[in-house]
C-alpha cells in the first residue's frame, strides 16, 4: 500500500482499473501482515472488515459520476475520538466503552462524500491526553519501526495505520501536537490545520479552543489531499471559518524561490539533541539550495507555551468531560445514591491521566485561583500568538523547526507526567496561536525517524504545503535514511 498513494488509488479506481473492494482487501491483508491486532501493534480499537467491504462495493455505483470524488476508493483510518455512525467512538476510554454516536462527524461525512472508505477506529491516549499512545484503556500502540518503542501520541494508532502501510491517509486530532509528534516518531507526514479550517462537529471535545482534526499521510501529497477533502466551512461548528479552501495538492508548483523561511532561535536551544540539529541544518541547506531566503527570527514567549498549555487545556477539559457522568453516555457503575453513582462511574471510568487533568483544570478555574492561573494563562497565550503575528507580518512566510525534542522513546520509559508534557515543547505553540503547522520526515537517527516542522500564518496552509513539497522532493530517499 505504501507505494499506492491516495492520488494513484483514486486515479486507478476512477479509471476502473482497480476496484475499491480490491483496495479494501489489500488493506485488510496488510493489517494482518504487519500484525495490527491487539496483541501486535494494537493499531485499531475497532475494525469491521465486513462493513469496509460493504462500503467499498457502494463505490462502484459512483464510477459513472461526472466528478469522481477526490478520495474515490481510498481507505482512511479514523481516530477513535471522531464520531462515526457505523463504528463505536470510545476515545480510548473505559467510560465510553461500546458507545455508538447517534450522529456522524462532519469530517467523516465529507470523507464519505469524497468517495473515501472509513477503515477502522484507531487507538489513542485516553481522551487525546498524552504523547505516546501508552495511556489507552485498550493497551499501548507500538511503533512499527521499532515495536519496543512508542509511536508518539495521542493519535498513535492513526500514525501507525499509515506508517505500516495499511492506509495512505488517516485522521487524527490535535490539541497540542498529537498529529505532528506521532508523525515525526513514525516517519510520515502530519498536518494540523489553522484553528477553524476544519469542522470540529463530531470531534469529542478535549480543549475546545485548541482542538482541530488533523491529517496523516504517507507523503505530503497524501496529507494535502486528505486535508482538502475535509476542510471548509461548516454551519454545525460555530468556530468554523467561512474562508475559501484552495487546492492543496498542486504539487507540481513547489517553487520556493521567493519563499522567506524563518528559523525561530527558541526552537534550536543549546540543549537540542545534536543529531536532530544536524538533520534540521541539512534540511535548511536544501531549502537555501532551492533559492529560499532563510533568516533567524525570535518568538520570545516560546518557553511559556507548556505552562500555559497545561493550564488552558485541563481547564477546558474539566468542563468538557463533565458530561461523562454515568447518565448520558456508555459506562455506569452504581454507588450510594446519585452522587455515589457519579463518583463510582467517574473514578473507575477515567484513567489516571484524565483524572489528573480534570482535578488540575477544576482547580485553576475555581474561585480565588481563576485570576492567578486561568486568566493569567489566557493573557500569556495572547503574547504567544502576538509573537507569531509579528514574525509573519515582518515578511516571513513559513517557519522551520524540529517537530519534537527526541526520537521515539521506549514503551514505559517516561513515567513522570511532566517529562511527558515536554514532548510538546515545539508543537503546543501552534495550537495556542491557532496557526497551521505540519511535520514531515527529514532523516533518521539511530534508525529512528526525525520530523521537521513548518508553521505558517493563519489559513496559509497552501504556502506551508508548497514548502513541504519542495523539501520532500529535495530530500528524496534521505528523508528516510
Ligand atoms: N500531548 C499533549 C497533551 O497531552 C497534546 C495532546 C493532543 O494534541 N491531543 O495534552
Amino acid at each position: 500500500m505504501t507505494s499506492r498513494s491516495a492520488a494513484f488509488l483514486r486515479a486507478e479506481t476512477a479509471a476502473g482499473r482497480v476496484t475499491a473492494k480490491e483496495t479494501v482487501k489489500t488493506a485488510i491483508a496488510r493489517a494482518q501482515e504487519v500484525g495490527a491486532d491487539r496483541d501486535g501493534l494494537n493499531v485499531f480499537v475497532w475494525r469491521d472488515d465486513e462493513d469496509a467491504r460493504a462500503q467499498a462495493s457502494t463505490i462502484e455505483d459512483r464510477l459513472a459520476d461526472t466528478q469522481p470524488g477526490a478520495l474515490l476508493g481510498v481507505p482512511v483510518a479514523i481516530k477513535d475520538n471522531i464520531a462515526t455512525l457505523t463504528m463505536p467512538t470510545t476515545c480510548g476510554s473505559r467510560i465510553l466503552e461500546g458507545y455508538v454516536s447517534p450522529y456522524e462527524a462532519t469530517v467523516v461525512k465529507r470523507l464519505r462524500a469524497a468517495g473515501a472508505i472509513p477503515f477502522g477506529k484507531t487507538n489513542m491516549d485516553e481522551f487525546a491526553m498524552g504523547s505516546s499512545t501508552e495511556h489507552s484503556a485498550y493497551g499501548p500502540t507500538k511503533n512499527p519501526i521499532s515495536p519496543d518503542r512508542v509511536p508518539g501520541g495521542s493519535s498513535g494508532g492513526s500514525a501507525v495505520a499509515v506508517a505500516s502501510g495499511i492506509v495512505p491517509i488517516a485522521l487524527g486530532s490535535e490539541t497540542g501536537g498529537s498529529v505532528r509528534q506521532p508523525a515525526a516518531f513514525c516517519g510520515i507526514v502530519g498536518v494540523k490545520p489553522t484553528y477553524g479550517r476544519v469542522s470540529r462537529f463530531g470531534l469529542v471535545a478535549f480543549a475546545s479552543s485548541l482542538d482541530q482534526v488533523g491529517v496523516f499521510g504517507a507523503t505530503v501529497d497524501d496529507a494535502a489531499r486528505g486535508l482538502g477533502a475535509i476542510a471548509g466551512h461548516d454551519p454545525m461548528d460555530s468556530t468554523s471559518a467561512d474562508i475559501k479552501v484552495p487546492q492543496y495538492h498542486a504539487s507540481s508548483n513547489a517553487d520556493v524561490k521567493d519563499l522567506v523561511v524563518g528559523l525561530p532561535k527558541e526552537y534550536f536551544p543549546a540543549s537540542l539533541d545534536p543529531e536532530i540539529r544536524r538533520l534540521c541544518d541539512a534540511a535548511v541547506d536544501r531549502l537555501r539550495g532551492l533559492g529560499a531566503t532563510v533568516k533567524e527570527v525570535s518568538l520570545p514567549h516560546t518557553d511559556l507555551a507548556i505552562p500555559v498549555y497545561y493550564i488552558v487545556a485541563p481547564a477546558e477539559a474539566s468542563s468538557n468531560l463533565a458530561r461523562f457522568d454515568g447518565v448520558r453516555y456508555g459506562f455506569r457503575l452504581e454507588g450510594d445514591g446519585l452522587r455515589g453513582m457519579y463518583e463510582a462511574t467517574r473514578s473507575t471510568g477515567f484513567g489516571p491521566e484524565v483524572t489528573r487533568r480534570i482535578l488540575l483544570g477544576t482547580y485553576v478555574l475555581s474561585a480565588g485561583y481563576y485570576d492567578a492561573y486561568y486568566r493569567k494563562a489566557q493573557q500569556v497565550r495572547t503574547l504567544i500568538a502576538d509573537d507569531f503575528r509579528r514574525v509573519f507580518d515582518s515578511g516571513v512566510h513559513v517557519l522551520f523547526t524540529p517537530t519534537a525534542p527526541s526520537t521515539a522513546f521506549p514503551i514505559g520509559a517516561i513515567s513522570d507526567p511532566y517529562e511527558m508534557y515536554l514532548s510538546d515543547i515545539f508543537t503546543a505553540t501552534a495550537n495556542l496561536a491557532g496557526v497551521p503547522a505540519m511535520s514531515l520526515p527529514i532523516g533518521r537517527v539511530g534508525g529512528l525517524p526525525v520530523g521537521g516542522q513548518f508553521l505558517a500564518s493563519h489559513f496559509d496552509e497552501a504556502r506551508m504545503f508548497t514548502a513541504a513539497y519542495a523539501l520532500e522532493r529535495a530530500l528524496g530517499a534521505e528523508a528516510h535514511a
Side-chain angles (χ1 to χ4, degrees), residues 79 128-131 153-154 173-179 206 309-310 313 357 421 424 431:
K79 190 177 180 178
M129 297 172 186
S131 305
S154 63
S173 74
E174 268 264 0
T175 304
S178 277
V179 168
F206 162 10
Y309 176 86
Y310 280 97
R357 306 263 184 128
Y421 298 169
D424 290 308
N431 303 75

Side-chain angles (χ1 to χ4, degrees), residues 52-184:
R53 278 193 209 100
Q55 290 182 65
S57 52
T58 69
I59 300 294
E60 321 296 91
D61 308 337
R62 297 180 54 170
L63 292 179
D65 294 1
T66 39
Q67 275 293 338
L71 294 179
L72 193 73
V74 179
V76 177
I78 297 170
K79 190 177 180 178
D80 199 31
N81 59 350
I82 299 174
T84 42
L85 277 172
T86 52
M87 299 179 269
T89 300
T90 72
C91 296
S93 181
R94 192 170 169 203
I95 211 158
L96 280 171
E97 193 161 8
Y99 173 74
V100 182
S101 169
Y103 62 90
E104 197 149 69
T106 296
V107 290
V108 177
K109 281 197 192 141
R110 287 191 179 168
L111 284 181
R112 291 192 200 276
I117 302 149
F119 189 82
K121 298 299 283 283
T122 59
N123 200 14
M124 56 184 280
D125 284 305
E126 188 177 0
F127 282 101
M129 297 172 186
S131 305
S132 66
T133 316
E134 291 168 284
H135 304 293
S136 161
Y138 309 103
T141 297
K142 296 172 183 131
N143 192 316
I145 292 153
S146 174
D148 57 337
R149 289 175 186 266
V150 304
S154 63
S155 316
S158 284
V160 176
V162 172
S164 60
I166 300 169
V167 289
I169 296 174
L171 298 189
S173 74
E174 268 264 0
T175 304
S178 277
V179 168
R180 287 164 287 158
Q181 186 254 22

